[in-house]
Amino acid sequence: MTSQYTTDEPAREALYDIAGPAVIEFGAPWCPWCQAAQPLIAEAFEGAQELPYFRIEDGKGRPLGRAFRVKLWPTLIFLRDGEEVARCVRPESTAPLKQALAKVVTPS
């Protein structure tokens, strides 16, 4: 899990081709909502560091965020085998993040 947002967007098709669980977080480094959510996200994802996690800087003219219909930051999209199964927008606690994570990660 990276701590910085990247402007280097992966191809949309590459995200759809990921086998198993993956998470995409859209936001911006200067966004106060994104900054406030980071400790919650870190806590919710404790123990899931091996999970493919993409932290994408979003904004005007950024096609990947538009493809996923992102309107507010941060938005976390939970994928399983390339299909969206859950979404958390501006989480204010760890509960919705953990619930979404449980939908994509199968217990071993």
Side-chain angles (χ1 to χ4, degrees):
M1 195 161 138
T2 178
S3 63
Q4 300 294 319
Y5 288 101
T6 180
T7 57
D8 200 21
E9 294 182 350
R12 190 165 110 189
E13 294 76 26
L15 295 172
Y16 293 145
D17 289 342
I18 295 174
V23 178
I24 311 165
E25 177 188 340
F26 291 96
W30 50 263
C31 167
W33 289 93
C34 300
Q35 293 168 2
Q38 293 314 305
L40 301 173
I41 294 167
E43 183 180 336
F45 281 81
E46 218 168 78
Q49 285 77 14
E50 73 287 343
L51 181 71
Y53 192 98
F54 302 89
R55 186 170 277 151
I56 309 295
E57 186 171 337
D58 196 29
K60 187 176 182 178
R62 307 290 302 179
L64 192 59
R66 303 305 66 78
F68 282 97
R69 300 173 317 281
V70 172
K71 301 214 187 272
L72 297 171
W73 301 327
T75 293
L76 289 90
I77 298 178
F78 296 77
L79 304 173
R80 172 154 273 314
D81 297 326
E83 299 281 328
E84 182 177 337
V85 296
R87 178 180 291 233
C88 290
V89 179
R90 289 191 176 171
E92 295 181 359
S93 73
T94 60
L97 294 165
K98 289 179 178 180
Q99 289 169 352
L101 189 57
K103 289 181 181 180
V104 296
V105 177
T106 41
S108 3

